[in-house]
Amino acid sequence: MTHLAAGTTEKDGFDLWVDPAVAGWSYSSLRTLTLAPGALRRFAAGDSEWIVLPLAGGCAVTVTQADGTEAAFELRGRVSVFTGVSDFAYVPRDAEVTVVSPGGSRLALAGARCERRLPARYGPASAVPVELRGAGGASRQVNNFAAAGVFACDRLIAVEVLTPGGNWSSFPPHKHDEAGPHESVLEEIYYYEFGGGPAALGYQRVYPSPAGATDVLAEVRTGDAVLIPDGWHGPSMAVPGYDMYYLNVMAGPGAERAWLISDDPAHAWVRASWADQLPDPRLPLYEAPVTKQEGGTV
């Protein structure tokens, strides 16, 4: 099953549970967790590295690493994914983790099976590069908190994308399902939230590529996820009136941790058109220092 509706993969107290067994692949995982005020949760990292990312609220994270050393991090978090960039905590494989939330929170745990055991670390919100990508109706904001080349992980790559209502994101459609000099094999999870109330919705398209057969057009709502093992993916459509957020979690078998993509040749010309257009003036959706802009003028 490629489209996972909210509530259909609850497990062990997690609102969403995607691991390689659920997805039918080898590396990428994602869990979401709601903690009541004062609640505590423990989990084992197992054979995966993880990032604990507040979606709403904050928490305290204590990591007992495989060598017995302990690291503790206070995550300030944010009101919601539409109000700011969040700080986060990196958890290495084979660690034991305790999360406590004095004021209550919703958390995402982005994970990837890995080999190396890196140290536990804190990622400050102030160090997250914010990029405006695209232009016009294809404008979106990308928070590159755990992009390759930004934050060190063994295999995990994770970013946040915010798309104003009425815009198309993940466009032109692209893929990363073949190994080569211009593309890396990556299993990808999209997790969605929307602004504008309980009726908010959007759409996600994935269609077959030369190397992949995934074919889905899904109506997505807050708490849903879409699994992308292969295929061209895009657009992600935010309907008018409702801003769209999605968390991308990726990992794969390549020796190099990199996000290398190929655009669908039928639509690749759209990227070149951005040079003569400005980004949507609604971006960034909240006050944030923009460190990179693709298309238009800086």
Side-chain angles (χ1 to χ4, degrees):
M1 185 167 57
T2 303
H3 174 213
L4 306 177
T8 60
T9 61
E10 295 177 345
K11 182 178 177 180
D12 294 346
F14 289 91
D15 304 319
L16 170 74
W17 180 293
V18 177
D19 61 15
V22 169
W25 57 34
S26 300
Y27 294 96
S28 297
S29 295
L30 177 65
R31 304 174 193 173
T32 62
L33 175 66
T34 301
L35 289 176
L40 177 150
R41 181 65 195 246
R42 294 187 175 92
F43 72 93
D47 63 0
S48 296
E49 59 185 346
W50 298 88
I51 284 179
V52 180
L53 176 73
L55 300 171
C59 63
V61 181
T62 303
V63 181
T64 303
Q65 302 178 89
D67 63 1
T69 60
E70 191 172 278
F73 311 108
E74 292 286 339
L75 303 186
R76 180 179 179 182
R78 52 192 164 183
V79 175
S80 81
V81 295
F82 296 104
T83 61
V85 179
S86 182
D87 51 357
F88 59 94
Y90 174 84
V91 175
R93 60 165 292 159
D94 304 314
E96 299 290 331
V97 185
T98 301
V99 181
V100 181
S101 182
S105 62
R106 286 189 306 105
L107 308 172
L109 280 64
R113 277 182 174 162
C114 65
E115 292 75 39
R116 291 192 301 152
R117 191 183 292 142
L118 304 182
R121 278 163 292 135
Y122 173 74
S126 60
V128 174
V130 175
E131 172 187 358
L132 300 189
R133 188 174 296 170
S139 300
R140 59 273 200 186
Q141 173 183 336
V142 184
N143 300 336
N144 289 301
F145 70 96
V150 172
F151 186 84
C153 300
D154 187 19
R155 293 196 177 274
L156 178 63
I157 298 172
V159 302
E160 300 179 304
V161 181
L162 297 109
T163 308
N167 284 7
W168 284 26
S169 197
S170 282
F171 201 82
H174 58 280
K175 72 182 185 77
H176 37 71
D177 56 13
E178 295 182 275
H182 305 297
E183 197 170 323
S184 47
V185 176
L186 294 168
E187 308 158 349
E188 185 163 18
I189 305 167
Y190 276 52
Y191 166 77
Y192 307 85
E193 297 200 356
F194 290 86
L201 75 160
Y203 294 88
Q204 177 68 53
R205 179 71 170 121
V206 187
Y207 57 97
S209 66
T214 301
D215 192 353
V216 63
L217 174 58
E219 181 177 292
V220 291
R221 298 175 182 271
T222 293
D224 287 10
V226 168
L227 310 182
I228 304 176
D230 51 47
W232 305 108
H233 39 289
S236 303
M237 295 165 269
V239 301
Y242 302 103
D243 294 338
M244 169 190 278
Y245 163 95
Y246 53 87
L247 171 64
N248 288 146
V249 179
M250 295 169 274
E256 179 186 7
R257 176 176 169 253
W259 183 68
L260 302 177
I261 65 167
S262 296
D263 288 336
D264 182 343
H267 304 289
W269 66 270
V270 173
R271 191 180 297 277
S273 74
W274 296 341
D276 299 321
Q277 300 181 58
L278 295 173
D280 190 316
R282 292 175 290 178
L283 293 173
L285 286 184
Y286 42 74
E287 185 176 349
V290 175
T291 57
K292 181 181 178 184
Q293 183 169 309
E294 178 186 12
T297 57
V298 177

